[in-house]
Amino acid sequence: MKIKILGHYTTKVGELWDKGLEDLLHEAIEGSLKNSDVNPDKIEAVYVANKASGQLNSQLHLNALASEYFEHYPPAMRVEGACASGGLAMIAAEQALLAGHYQTVLVVGVEKMTDISVAQTTEALSLAADQIRENGSTFPALYALLAEAHMKKYGTTREQLSATAVKNHAFAVNNPLAQYRKEISIELVNESAVIASPLRLFDCSPISDGASAVVLTSKEVKNKPEIAGFGHAQDSLDLAGRKSLTSLAATIKAGKQAYSRAGVQPGDIQAAEVHDCFTIAEILAIEDLGWFKKGEGGKATLEGETGKDGKIIINSSGGLKAFGHPIGATGVKQIAFLANKLEKGVFNLVLAHNLGGSGATAVVHILKNS
Amino acid sequence: MKIKILGHYTTKVGELWDKGLEDLLHEAIEGSLKNSDVNPDKIEAVYVANKASGQLNSQLHLNALASEYFEHYPPAMRVEGACASGGLAMIAAEQALLAGHYQTVLVVGVEKMTDISVAQTTEALSLAADQIRENGSTFPALYALLAEAHMKKYGTTREQLSATAVKNHAFAVNNPLAQYRKEISIELVNESAVIASPLRLFDCSPISDGASAVVLTSKEVKNKPEIAGFGHAQDSLDLAGRKSLTSLAATIKAGKQAYSRAGVQPGDIQAAEVHDCFTIAEILAIEDLGWFKKGEGGKATLEGETGKDGKIIINSSGGLKAFGHPIGATGVKQIAFLANKLEKGVFNLVLAHNLGGSGATAVVHILKNS
């Protein structure tokens, strides 16, 4: 059984003061139905990805809110796995299709983050209540530890981190949905405020509102992008429980699974959207997914190997860094963006990489033109 | 492909001051592995049900916390659908097995509710932020509206509501894991404090801590309970969007699906655990699931038709009312309790009914001895 992407839609990503959680959710659902040319009553189930609407919007049970869009109230469930919620919801939907329970389902990811203060949002996102964990550590602090380890072990430089942000901002200029459509310079990143040393302001993805939806089908359809394979792996939530701080074991494992299920090699992939919540995260990802040797991701980025004329095109949407990071939507909008590139024939084989909790959850999808 | 329940475990349910969220999560996982006689490294994926740990425990990403129990970090996802989270996580796990991705998976539901004040908990549980919804209405208030409508239309009485609570408390006396192992009288319920008229204190399920886990397999095993079928349906989250206030359309639809998939009739079911978050909810369920005519559920309960010598035995665990309602665990502990009864040969065909959000999400499972 093959799973195809019938259609997709992503809202504008950014600080969307005039839109609420439900507005974004329903806009993405409606947009993906129109783009798929599917009648709403053909949707047999809905999968909702969201991380923190309980804390951010005082609203849980988003599956009911999503189902309410439809007159026939299709069965719906919400899936959460921190910033990997989107990737996990995709998997839940794919497994329901493969189980034969449904033939056409909709996956929608949403996060409305700007309804509360940045301080409250930061607190909500960095949940790790258990004393033995990174208590009080925010995500920038955790990724700063990873960056420091990588710099120390492999000589990754400030310029290489900065080059990642510069590349992704340059890509976002061409993405009308992106939060930051503005080129930046290496100097600007180098001189921006320190958030958690060595990470600076422009190393960090923003706080974003947004939603994205895709319609999946197991029916035989032609000229639609196909889900060629997926991988899903976990690692210790606590950095102290990791075997290495210079690679993410969950990414490596999820990547291998996805390559194996899709029957392709890393070198076959033409373009990828990877989870660059921080610049160092993109460098880790392009090494851990097999495109560059461990320790050489920063150098490759600085030399343009992941840019528009590079060996592999990374985050041509602008990535989390510049397209934006509306958390629950992120893993879905990666798929939606890549599906569009496949449809247009820009690429034929691509990969999406979605992370949760500084690498405790990793989801990899490989998509192809079939 | 048949899905069997290899084993199960439920923690003591109640106000467990000496146990945290992770303690409960890991106790249930460990207990279910021992009860299944399965080596931890055989678990290929984990599904976690939880409603509100973000607000209640400042902790999301429970799939990572669950995966961490295992040395091999199996892939894991958290599923949420308010109080139906447990039933939904069961479905996600079943679909993954039917998809052929895994052969043995673990489902664990958990809720640690007593770490914050009752007022804070009540607020967290009643989330409905949108102005057009039941803004400010707590769950007792919503179910009070349903009770009032049922009493008005069908003449359901105070005594009939009370008889539901009395029956479930009597059952809980024999359940060593139950929160309230104490018989109560109709007079006690009748005279207890009004929470949201007509519902009184003893019409309401408690705030509970607890966890429950089951191990599911698609391998051929003998003498283990089988998942014969499931149903999953949604309805308007907003009561104002419902066609009726005297029945829950989602329960009816999910029940029909489950009966159809299992190839059985309502009359074949010997015992059921239904979602009695309030006494009126049990009366609605036993009518909507086809065991009593609409409007006759209260009368049947008062006459003992759902008690230990009744036509169908309802909530012999004590139900949410007296066994307790640790939200994310509820839909899983219903399955665990019934699996135990099947194993012991007490029953051969049973049903579990799990609701979310005053009936917006309904999940029904039918289990049998095979």
Side-chain angles (χ1 to χ4, degrees):
Chain A
M1 188 188 294
K2 288 178 180 178
I3 297 176
K4 303 279 181 78
I5 300 171
L6 269 184
H8 47 80
Y9 180 90
T10 302
T11 67
K12 176 91 181 81
V13 174
E15 296 185 4
L16 310 176
W17 304 109
D18 58 339
K19 288 185 181 168
L21 176 71
E22 197 171 345
D23 298 327
L24 293 167
L25 186 71
H26 287 184
E27 180 185 333
I29 293 173
E30 185 166 307
S32 69
L33 290 169
K34 282 189 184 161
N35 183 261
S36 305
D37 200 16
V38 161
N39 208 308
D41 64 7
K42 299 297 178 205
I43 299 298
E44 294 166 278
V46 179
Y47 293 81
V48 184
N50 172 269
K51 175 174 175 179
S53 68
Q55 294 97 308
L56 300 176
N57 320 106
S58 295
Q59 179 72 55
L60 289 170
H61 207 186
L62 296 195
N63 56 314
L65 277 190
S67 182
E68 272 194 353
Y69 172 87
F70 301 86
E71 281 181 24
H72 67 299
Y73 297 116
M77 66 172 72
R78 171 198 166 202
V79 174
E80 185 260 330
C83 306
S85 300
L88 292 179
M90 288 291 300
I91 291 176
E94 289 152 21
Q95 289 176 330
L97 291 171
L98 293 171
H101 285 151
Y102 310 117
Q103 288 194 293
T104 305
V105 303
L106 187 145
V107 183
V108 57
V110 64
E111 207 84 42
K112 172 62 191 175
M113 301 179 69
T114 60
D115 278 356
I116 59 177
S117 74
V118 172
Q120 288 171 310
T121 303
T122 304
E123 198 192 334
L125 300 186
S126 307
L127 300 174
D130 192 320
Q131 267 80 330
I132 65 162
R133 289 212 168 67
E134 309 91 6
N135 210 345
S137 286
T138 59
F139 275 116
L142 297 173
Y143 274 95
L145 292 171
L146 302 179
E148 203 158 56
H150 205 273
M151 292 168 101
K152 207 165 185 173
K153 186 161 180 186
Y154 298 112
T156 297
T157 65
R158 174 67 259 166
E159 281 63 34
Q160 292 169 359
L161 293 175
S162 298
T164 311
V166 169
K167 169 183 68 69
N168 291 350
H169 272 256
F171 273 132
V173 170
N174 298 313
N175 180 353
L177 303 174
Q179 186 159 357
Y180 300 130
R181 303 184 65 194
K182 193 173 147 183
E183 296 216 37
I184 56 172
S185 66
I186 287 195
E187 293 67 37
L188 181 74
V189 187
N190 287 352
E191 289 161 21
S192 62
V194 173
I195 301 297
S197 177
L199 299 179
R200 292 173 178 265
L201 181 64
F202 281 90
D203 286 302
C204 310
S205 59
I207 287 174
S208 317
D209 304 324
S212 182
V214 298
V215 177
L216 304 178
T217 189
S218 58
K219 292 184 183 171
E220 284 192 30
V221 290
K222 284 184 182 166
N223 302 320
K224 294 287 181 182
E226 181 184 335
I227 310 259
F230 81 87
H232 171 195
Q234 305 283 150
D235 196 1
S236 165
L237 188 55
D238 188 359
L239 290 190
R242 306 273 175 91
K243 287 186 184 140
S244 163
L245 290 185
T246 53
S247 68
L248 297 181
T251 294
I252 295 174
K253 205 166 157 186
K256 282 182 180 167
Q257 275 182 9
Y259 290 132
S260 163
R261 285 194 174 124
V264 300
Q265 300 293 324
D268 300 332
I269 305 291
Q270 298 170 299
E273 294 288 308
V274 304
H275 196 93
D276 61 324
C277 47
F278 299 93
T279 49
I280 183 63
E282 177 166 321
I283 291 172
L284 290 170
I286 61 176
E287 295 170 354
D288 293 338
L289 290 165
W291 300 311
F292 299 96
K293 278 190 194 155
K294 184 46 71 182
E296 295 183 4
K299 184 168 165 282
T301 303
L302 186 61
E303 289 173 354
E305 287 296 314
T306 57
K308 64 183 172 54
D309 303 314
K311 168 184 159 182
I312 180 164
I313 301 174
I314 301 290
N315 283 329
S316 59
S317 71
L320 282 62
K321 177 69 199 80
F323 188 177
H325 185 21
I327 304 179
T330 290
V332 183
K333 89 182 194 328
Q334 292 177 325
I335 304 282
F337 178 84
L338 290 170
N340 183 247
K341 296 293 172 192
L342 291 172
E343 284 164 358
K344 289 185 172 166
V346 181
F347 307 119
N348 288 305
L349 187 69
V350 296
L351 181 149
H353 164 254
N354 188 202
L355 279 183
S358 52
T361 301
V363 177
V364 172
H365 275 90
I366 294 174
L367 313 181
K368 67 178 179 186
N369 272 331
S370 55
Chain B
M1 189 187 294
K2 288 178 179 180
I3 297 176
K4 303 281 181 76
I5 300 171
L6 270 184
H8 47 81
Y9 179 90
T10 302
T11 67
K12 175 92 181 80
V13 175
E15 297 184 6
L16 310 176
W17 304 109
D18 58 340
K19 288 184 181 168
L21 176 72
E22 198 170 345
D23 299 326
L24 293 167
L25 186 71
H26 287 184
E27 180 185 333
I29 293 173
E30 185 166 306
S32 70
L33 290 169
K34 282 188 183 161
N35 183 261
S36 305
D37 200 16
V38 160
N39 206 307
D41 64 6
K42 299 298 178 205
I43 299 297
E44 294 165 277
V46 179
Y47 294 81
V48 184
N50 172 269
K51 176 174 174 178
S53 68
Q55 295 97 309
L56 300 176
N57 320 106
S58 295
Q59 180 70 56
L60 290 170
H61 208 186
L62 296 194
N63 55 315
L65 277 189
S67 182
E68 272 195 352
Y69 172 87
F70 301 85
E71 281 181 24
H72 66 298
Y73 297 116
M77 68 172 72
R78 171 197 167 205
V79 174
E80 186 260 330
C83 306
S85 300
L88 292 179
M90 288 291 299
I91 292 177
E94 290 152 20
Q95 289 177 330
L97 291 171
L98 293 172
H101 284 150
Y102 311 118
Q103 287 194 293
T104 305
V105 303
L106 188 145
V107 184
V108 56
V110 64
E111 208 85 42
K112 172 63 192 174
M113 302 179 69
T114 61
D115 278 356
I116 58 176
S117 74
V118 172
Q120 287 171 310
T121 303
T122 304
E123 197 191 335
L125 301 186
S126 307
L127 300 173
D130 192 321
Q131 267 79 330
I132 64 161
R133 289 208 170 70
E134 309 91 7
N135 211 345
S137 286
T138 59
F139 275 116
L142 296 174
Y143 274 96
L145 292 172
L146 302 180
E148 202 159 57
H150 204 272
M151 293 168 100
K152 205 165 188 175
K153 185 160 181 186
Y154 298 112
T156 297
T157 66
R158 174 68 260 166
E159 280 64 33
Q160 292 169 359
L161 292 176
S162 298
T164 311
V166 169
K167 169 183 67 71
N168 291 351
H169 272 256
F171 273 132
V173 171
N174 298 314
N175 180 352
L177 302 175
Q179 185 159 359
Y180 300 131
R181 303 184 64 194
K182 194 173 147 184
E183 295 216 38
I184 56 171
S185 66
I186 286 193
E187 293 68 35
L188 181 74
V189 188
N190 286 352
E191 288 160 20
S192 63
V194 173
I195 301 296
S197 178
L199 298 180
R200 291 172 179 266
L201 182 63
F202 281 90
D203 286 301
C204 309
S205 59
I207 286 174
S208 316
D209 303 324
S212 183
V214 299
V215 177
L216 304 178
T217 189
S218 58
K219 292 183 182 172
E220 283 193 31
V221 291
K222 282 185 181 167
N223 302 319
K224 293 287 181 183
E226 181 184 335
I227 309 260
F230 81 86
H232 171 196
Q234 305 283 150
D235 195 2
S236 165
L237 187 56
D238 188 359
L239 291 190
R242 306 272 175 91
K243 286 188 183 138
S244 164
L245 291 184
T246 53
S247 68
L248 297 182
T251 295
I252 295 174
K253 204 166 158 187
K256 283 183 180 166
Q257 274 181 9
Y259 290 131
S260 163
R261 284 193 173 124
V264 300
Q265 300 293 325
D268 300 331
I269 305 291
Q270 297 170 300
E273 294 287 308
V274 304
H275 196 94
D276 61 323
C277 47
F278 299 94
T279 49
I280 184 63
E282 177 166 321
I283 291 172
L284 291 170
I286 62 175
E287 295 170 353
D288 292 337
L289 290 165
W291 301 311
F292 299 97
K293 278 190 195 155
K294 184 45 70 184
E296 295 183 4
K299 184 167 167 281
T301 304
L302 186 62
E303 290 174 355
E305 288 296 314
T306 58
K308 63 183 171 57
D309 302 315
K311 167 182 159 184
I312 179 164
I313 301 175
I314 300 290
N315 284 329
S316 59
S317 71
L320 283 62
K321 177 69 199 80
F323 188 177
H325 185 21
I327 303 179
T330 290
V332 183
K333 89 181 192 335
Q334 292 177 326
I335 303 282
F337 178 84
L338 290 170
N340 183 246
K341 296 292 171 192
L342 291 172
E343 284 164 359
K344 290 185 172 165
V346 181
F347 307 118
N348 288 306
L349 187 69
V350 297
L351 181 148
H353 164 255
N354 188 202
L355 279 184
S358 53
T361 301
V363 177
V364 172
H365 275 90
I366 294 174
L367 313 180
K368 67 178 179 186
N369 272 331
S370 55

